[in-house]
Amino acid sequence: MTANARFDRTRRLLVSAMIVAATGWAIGVSTLTLVVAAALDSRMRLSLHTRESLLVVSALLGIAALLSVIIRNRAVLSAESVALWLEGKFPDLGYSLVTMIEGRFPAAHPALEDITARVPWESAVRPLVVRSVAFPFLVIACGLLVLSALPSSQIARTSRPHVGDAINVAHPRPRADPFDPLVVTVTPPAYSRLRVETQENPGSARGLVGSSVRIEGLGNATGVHATFGTRGMLPSANERGWSFLLVMPDSATAVWLERGDQRRLLVLEPRRDSVPMVILSLPARDSVVSGQPHALPLKATSSDDFGLQEAWFEYIVSSGEGENFNFRSGTVGREALHDRKAGVIEGRLPLDSLMLAPGNIVHIRAVARDGNTTTGPGLGYSDTRTIRIPRPGEADSIAIDAAAPAQGDSSLLSERMLILMAEALERQRGRVTRDTFVANSRRIAGDQAALRRRVSDVIFLRLGGKARGEESEDTAAAPLTPDAMLDAAQKATQVNGQSLDFSEDESPVVALNRPLLEAYNAMWDAGRSLEIGEPRQALPHMRMALEAIQRARQAERLYLRGRPTATVIDLARVRLAGKLADANPARIPPASEEGTTIERLALRFSAAVERLPRAEAIDSLALLRIEALSEAPAFAGSLDRAIEAFRTGGDATGDLIKARRALTGPVRSRPGLPAWGALP
């Protein structure tokens, strides 16, 4: 081997040794830093922020050690420096290597080769390389040996710090507060594809309804118990401490953790999975199809907050008149959406194959289903479009103002659909589980209640009042009887003892609203049976309601022939010409309960603020926030930040001011004294 080849091999060996030694020192310094951090954590239980900082410091020290070794030994990167170093170690070379490197003579000059061949410099370089590499790896071995003696949980806390690892302590020591640390892990349902949320010492935990909530603490489980709403619970013990496993409820709920005379409040704030939103774009409106009907194009868009499973179109063909109606239903255009958050479905409804006859009505709507496997699935429905086949002779020459369909007609259609749904559910009895059967029955009961409120609004609007519905203060009262409704109608249709309609027999107002009230009462009875999962008992009442709505549709109706002429009023002539006795008193709306609720929240808020910063006052604010989540969400948001500031030792003054203004509005200034003026 020539001298030049021997020199290149030696130089490569030195460069490799430098790189290995620098890497070894970097790993060794980082390992020693982690050993020190783990030792401190085992003694003092360092916070998450401190452990994350120590991890960054460990990496920075390792990089510093790496750069230090490279800078200190950077001479090995230069051939001249390596040659001079070898000349200094072996004087017998007589500067032959330097001469060869500088290129003053050919690399294979016989004289140079003869001199370098007599000097075995490799034997002196190898021990030096071994020593430079062995020492840092000895430091690494010592650090790993110390780490192996520590518990695996301690190593994980030091090397992989994350939120919630405060519970991973091998030998927890007794603490004054048994609920410090408190780790809450919320695992959402799999269909939502949301990540698991972990919090340490939180005041509240948020998650989807049906999520798994795990509450963990350190220490002995003896004496620890929890109150979840109104239900008491005992913890499950493990090698490190205790834990509770809950399910996220459907409304905000307080969880009280107690051990002896010490208590801790945790608020569970659920988030509901909304049902899909469906918009039917084709057909765009209700229409009448004349002539020979053919295929009808259908198109709808749907969206959901987590993902759609499938969507389709439903149709109902109604035929008949009077009290005899027949219905046929079906679905078209069913399409799988594969968990997409938005989708478009298209289809065609073959009208020619439905055997439509004059007078038939086709009701069409789009339906979408989400992937909720916990509290669902959720079904979203679009508005219903109607396609009518006209009867012969319907067209005439009467010109009337266009008007919207009667409200009773839409109620009639909805009640028919509810009857079909209840009959389909009854056929499933025995083929599905009891829980599923009752859940579907209660879903129909909710639709029946919504329809009942619509009928109630129709009744009271036609009596001359405002839409009372069932949101007034008399919600718990029993439904009106027909006689009571008749009295109300007579009062509404008379002014100063004179009937507004007819003075004999029943007026058209009474004739229309009496069957509607009978339908309203029948819907009450049907809803009660559906709520307990008995659609068989509800069907007779639902059919009675349908029959009553049909009778209301047959009440006397008035039509205008031609367009009514516009009445021109001479305002200058009639102004101030009326009599006070002829004026009807203004209808005073009932007092709203919103003001009462806000006032009650404000009083409780003031009482809690006066007791701050005591712990029971903070708990009072947390309980107040549970109630305010539905009544005053802006106030609840500001209150949440104030509670968090109190728990972390921050300044909550600004958040309390925002909470107060969100509840009572901005500050109003009223001058109490007149402005200063000049003296007389």
Side-chain angles (χ1 to χ4, degrees):
M1 182 180 296
T2 64
N4 197 7
R6 291 173 59 198
F7 176 77
D8 289 340
R9 186 175 64 177
T10 302
R11 180 168 169 266
R12 287 195 300 268
L13 180 62
L14 291 174
V15 172
S16 301
M18 181 195 67
I19 295 174
V20 173
T23 305
W25 277 112
I27 297 174
V29 170
S30 299
T31 304
L32 289 179
T33 307
L34 290 178
V35 169
V36 174
L40 290 174
D41 185 50
S42 64
R43 300 287 298 177
M44 305 169 57
R45 206 178 75 179
L46 302 175
S47 65
L48 175 63
H49 178 69
T50 303
R51 286 181 280 117
E52 289 177 341
S53 301
L54 287 176
L55 196 62
V56 174
V57 169
S58 173
L60 292 177
L61 290 177
I63 295 174
L66 176 71
L67 296 177
S68 176
V69 174
I70 293 176
I71 292 173
R72 190 173 66 248
N73 299 281
R74 65 183 181 278
V76 299
L77 301 177
S78 171
E80 292 81 359
S81 299
V82 174
L84 289 173
W85 179 75
L86 290 177
E87 293 282 358
K89 287 287 185 180
F90 302 95
D92 295 341
L93 289 174
Y95 295 100
S96 58
L97 282 179
V98 175
T99 303
M100 181 180 61
I101 293 302
E102 291 179 351
R104 297 178 181 179
F105 295 95
H109 193 278
L112 295 178
E113 291 289 339
D114 184 59
I115 296 173
T116 56
R118 294 195 300 266
V119 181
W121 67 72
E122 294 88 351
S123 59
V125 171
R126 290 193 187 97
L128 180 63
V129 170
V130 171
R131 286 195 303 271
S132 63
V133 172
F135 191 73
F137 280 94
L138 180 62
V139 174
I140 295 174
C142 293
L144 294 177
L145 184 63
V146 175
L147 287 178
S148 63
L150 296 174
S152 58
S153 59
Q154 196 69 52
I155 299 174
R157 278 174 53 85
T158 306
S159 59
R160 297 185 301 276
H162 60 274
V163 177
D165 61 0
I167 207 70
N168 298 328
V169 178
H171 304 290
R173 294 179 176 81
R175 299 180 63 87
D177 186 358
F179 304 117
D180 182 23
L182 187 71
V183 177
V184 179
T185 304
V186 179
T187 304
Y191 78 89
S192 65
R193 298 180 297 280
L194 297 176
R195 61 187 181 90
V196 178
E197 296 286 346
T198 303
Q199 296 175 277
E200 291 185 10
N201 296 322
S204 61
R206 301 173 178 85
L208 273 178
V209 175
S211 299
S212 174
V213 182
R214 187 177 186 86
I215 306 173
E216 299 178 278
L218 292 175
N220 193 351
T222 304
V224 178
H225 67 279
T227 303
F228 179 41
T230 58
R231 179 167 57 96
M233 300 180 62
L234 293 177
S236 300
N238 52 48
E239 64 276 7
R240 293 188 301 271
W242 47 266
S243 64
F244 292 96
L245 187 61
L246 309 175
V247 177
M248 184 67 71
D250 56 0
S251 60
T253 307
V255 179
W256 285 100
L257 303 175
E258 300 182 28
R259 183 175 186 179
D261 58 349
Q262 294 178 313
R263 306 179 72 193
R264 178 71 175 270
L265 174 63
L266 177 67
V267 179
L268 299 185
E269 299 180 26
R271 172 190 173 189
R272 293 181 178 274
D273 181 4
S274 62
V275 299
M277 179 182 296
V278 188
I279 299 175
L280 183 62
S281 53
L282 286 179
R285 60 185 62 85
D286 301 342
S287 60
V288 178
V289 177
S290 59
Q292 184 64 29
H294 298 286
L296 180 68
L298 305 176
K299 183 178 181 180
T301 58
S302 57
S303 61
D304 187 67
D305 46 1
F306 294 111
L308 297 162
Q309 288 295 312
E310 59 179 345
W312 63 91
F313 298 97
E314 290 183 352
Y315 67 87
I316 298 176
V317 180
S318 61
S319 59
E321 58 183 344
E323 298 183 1
N324 298 318
F325 279 89
N326 296 318
F327 302 94
R328 292 176 288 131
S329 61
T331 61
V332 295
R334 186 179 295 269
E335 182 177 347
L337 298 177
H338 306 292
D339 295 326
R340 296 201 301 267
K341 290 189 175 183
V344 178
I345 59 171
E346 297 180 351
R348 298 182 69 83
L349 180 62
L351 297 178
D352 50 357
S353 64
L354 297 180
M355 297 178 292
L356 300 177
N360 289 173
I361 301 178
V362 183
H363 312 280
I364 306 167
R365 69 176 181 180
V367 185
R369 179 173 65 87
D370 62 14
N372 188 344
T373 57
T374 304
T375 59
L379 295 176
Y381 305 94
S382 70
D383 294 336
T384 302
R385 303 280 190 266
T386 59
I387 307 299
R388 189 168 63 88
I389 309 300
R391 293 186 176 90
E394 281 191 5
D396 54 29
S397 59
I398 298 178
I400 61 174
D401 289 333
Q407 293 176 336
D409 293 343
S410 60
S411 302
L412 177 68
L413 172 61
S414 300
E415 188 63 29
R416 287 172 179 164
M417 296 179 65
L418 292 179
I419 291 175
L420 292 177
M421 295 169 63
E423 290 175 346
L425 178 62
E426 183 61 33
R427 288 193 294 269
Q428 295 179 1
R429 185 187 293 271
R431 291 185 290 176
V432 297
T433 62
R434 177 62 181 172
D435 292 341
T436 304
F437 189 83
V438 172
N440 293 334
S441 179
R442 288 179 176 174
R443 190 176 293 113
I444 300 176
D447 296 336
Q448 182 70 85
L451 178 60
R452 185 180 68 242
R453 287 191 289 269
R454 289 172 54 192
V455 173
S456 173
D457 291 343
V458 172
I459 294 173
F460 288 98
L461 281 172
R462 287 174 175 172
L463 289 179
K466 61 179 292 187
R468 187 179 66 171
E470 297 176 17
E471 291 76 15
S472 59
E473 296 179 356
D474 59 347
T475 302
L480 296 175
T481 63
D483 293 335
M485 178 268 173
L486 180 60
D487 295 338
Q490 293 290 355
K491 294 178 181 178
T493 56
Q494 290 185 1
V495 176
N496 297 329
Q498 299 297 324
S499 175
L500 297 180
D501 296 312
F502 301 98
S503 59
E504 58 183 5
D505 203 1
E506 287 187 339
S507 68
V509 174
V510 176
L512 177 62
N513 287 281
R514 179 188 290 275
L516 281 181
L517 187 63
E518 294 177 4
Y520 177 80
N521 293 336
M523 290 177 185
W524 264 108
D525 298 332
R528 283 193 289 266
S529 299
L530 290 170
E531 283 290 346
I532 61 176
E534 292 296 336
R536 183 182 304 169
Q537 299 177 9
L539 280 170
H541 301 292
M542 299 172 74
R543 295 189 180 102
M544 290 174 59
L546 177 61
E547 181 181 357
I549 296 174
Q550 289 174 340
R551 292 201 308 272
R553 295 179 68 245
Q554 298 171 2
E556 182 178 356
R557 303 182 183 182
L558 302 178
Y559 296 92
L560 296 177
R561 289 191 173 273
R563 292 186 177 274
T565 59
T567 303
V568 179
I569 301 176
D570 187 353
L571 296 179
R573 180 180 179 184
V574 302
R575 182 177 289 114
L576 301 178
K579 298 180 180 179
L580 183 61
D582 296 336
N584 291 327
R587 189 176 296 271
I588 302 176
S592 174
E593 293 185 0
E594 181 179 358
T596 305
T597 302
I598 297 300
E599 292 175 1
R600 177 167 46 83
L601 292 176
L603 290 175
R604 292 179 56 187
F605 177 72
S606 300
V609 169
E610 290 177 357
R611 298 196 305 271
L612 288 172
R614 289 182 288 182
E616 60 269 18
I618 300 175
D619 291 342
S620 297
L621 291 177
L623 294 175
L624 178 62
R625 182 172 173 271
I626 295 177
E627 183 177 348
L629 283 172
S630 58
E631 302 290 344
F635 168 68
S638 300
L639 199 58
D640 182 29
R641 293 188 291 272
I643 294 172
E644 185 64 24
F646 275 113
R647 296 189 186 279
T648 57
D651 184 10
T653 304
D655 294 321
L656 289 176
I657 293 175
K658 292 179 181 178
R660 168 74 71 181
R661 292 182 178 175
L663 190 63
T664 60
V667 177
R668 297 180 179 87
S669 176
R670 294 187 178 91
L673 294 174
W676 288 96
L679 294 176

